[in-house]
Amino acid sequence: MEDAGSASSAGGGRTKMLTQEQISFFHENGFVRIPKVYSPEEIARMSDELDQLIQDWATTNMGWTGPWRQVYMSPDVEKRSMLTHLHDLHFYSEAWCRAVTHPRMAEAMADLLGPNVELHHTTLHCKPPETGMPFPMHQDSPFYQHEGFGYIDAIVHIDDATLENGCLKFLPGSHKQGHLPHITRLENGESCSPHLPTDKYRLQDAVPCPAEAGDVVAFSIYTVHGSEINRTDRWRRLVRVGYRDPLCRQIAGQSLGRAGVIVRGMRPVGALAPTLS
Ligand SMILES: O=C(O)CCC(=O)C(=O)O
């Protein structure tokens, strides 16, 4: 795939960040890798501040719960498997505030969402070495359900992500179905992290999307995805940034009712009125 930086002219006088090929790939498959959104210097700064945030603010625990853990991990590994996570990094760090409002990121999102783009949330997922938690196949809509298709998650890669350290894997075209029911309860009625049945949606059937530090992988809130355990001796750090068309109304979940920063264009009259009133 071409570097996003080489994308060129656009209709309507705006220079697009993405090529038409990248935009079409996204609409067809539900995900796209956007190379080199951040420069090595920007990533170095984001990496340093991320390490500080991990020390000062992040939580490390077993991560997601559910019967899928026994499917993807041996009993011994399952006990030791961990995830380091933190929400809304841009509230804690200048480098991350700049990163989530970065013009190249905002332009790329506008190419996929339309002229107005609102930041919804950021979430760190850091897989520790050797047993960093795998993610079962799921959509992101159960975590912050919205109406319609105007919501994209953009994964900012701080480290190179490979099959070995647990890069994202996607089911191409799965976004077209919209929101799917997820398993959210165990047989005994206790709640667990939303995920799709592991016999129907298998991690091994999904297409890996390796990426380099500085790349962004964008995908629809409805694209079915997951990732495998980190088998390497190094951390795999990435940050998910959620963006939406301000007219895409949230129904439930993370940050419901919170207005986000407009990173491109303007908030149309009537969008999220209850939040701002
Ligand atoms: O961090 C990962 O490997 C998976 C991330 C993911 O599934 C998500 O952000 O929805």
Side-chain angles (χ1 to χ4, degrees):
M1 188 178 290
E2 228 179 303
D3 281 6
S6 63
S8 60
S9 66
R14 181 170 86 77
T15 302
K16 284 187 190 276
M17 169 74 188
L18 304 185
T19 62
Q20 193 49 51
E21 187 193 359
Q22 287 172 312
I23 295 170
S24 303
F25 187 93
F26 172 82
H27 290 302
E28 190 50 34
N29 294 286
F31 69 95
V32 65
R33 182 169 74 90
I34 311 169
K36 299 186 174 68
V37 173
Y38 299 96
S39 68
E41 295 72 30
E42 286 164 339
I43 286 293
R45 182 101 195 273
M46 288 151 70
S47 172
D48 286 349
E49 293 199 11
L50 189 57
D51 285 344
Q52 189 69 46
L53 291 182
I54 290 170
Q55 264 192 30
D56 295 347
W57 294 100
T59 302
T60 299
N61 57 20
M62 73 184 289
W64 288 18
T65 58
W68 61 269
R69 293 182 70 95
Q70 280 69 38
V71 176
Y72 290 126
M73 293 180 275
S74 68
D76 167 56
V77 169
E78 193 275 324
K79 278 197 205 84
R80 292 184 289 121
S81 178
M82 293 284 164
L83 181 71
T84 298
H85 45 103
L86 174 69
H87 287 313
D88 294 321
L89 290 72
H90 57 291
F91 289 165
Y92 301 79
S93 140
E94 179 187 331
W96 280 94
C97 193
R98 288 187 194 283
V100 299
T101 56
H102 197 296
R104 278 197 296 277
M105 175 69 115
E107 286 304 315
M109 292 303 107
D111 289 342
L112 301 176
L113 284 172
N116 305 313
V117 180
E118 179 181 21
L119 171 69
H120 176 252
H121 76 276
T122 63
T123 294
L124 164 71
H125 280 162
C126 202
K127 292 192 190 202
E130 279 152 25
T131 54
M133 195 196 87
F135 281 79
M137 298 300 278
H138 65 281
Q139 298 173 313
D140 282 350
S141 50
F143 297 89
Y144 30 89
Q145 201 171 353
H146 281 68
E147 281 176 356
F149 284 76
Y151 194 109
I152 287 178
D153 277 319
I155 302 287
V156 178
H157 289 78
I158 300 302
D159 303 308
D160 294 352
T162 61
L163 252 190
E164 291 68 39
N165 71 4
C167 67
L168 265 79
K169 298 179 81 176
F170 295 99
L171 279 189
S174 51
H175 63 302
K176 292 178 184 168
Q177 312 163 87
H179 178 73
L180 298 169
H182 283 58
I183 296 168
T184 55
R185 294 214 169 266
L186 308 177
E187 274 168 16
N188 66 9
E190 270 176 39
S191 63
C192 66
S193 305
H195 63 284
L196 291 164
T198 48
D199 53 343
K200 285 206 189 116
Y201 293 90
R202 298 168 1 131
L203 253 182
Q204 56 268 44
D205 296 334
V207 173
C209 187
E212 293 178 6
D215 294 353
V216 166
V217 172
F219 59 96
S220 159
I221 192 173
Y222 302 123
T223 309
V224 175
H225 63 285
S227 64
E228 296 192 21
I229 200 163
N230 179 5
R231 295 193 173 80
T232 69
D233 58 3
R234 308 189 65 171
W235 289 77
R236 191 235 56 189
R237 299 166 301 164
L238 60 73
V239 175
R240 186 184 66 230
V241 189
Y243 294 101
R244 64 186 172 198
D245 174 344
L247 288 169
C248 179
R249 202 173 70 88
Q250 183 166 1
I251 301 165
Q254 184 176 338
S255 308
L256 177 67
R258 182 176 79 174
V261 172
I262 297 290
V263 299
R264 192 185 181 285
M266 295 196 69
R267 186 183 299 282
V269 172
L272 286 184
T275 311
L276 296 176
S277 62

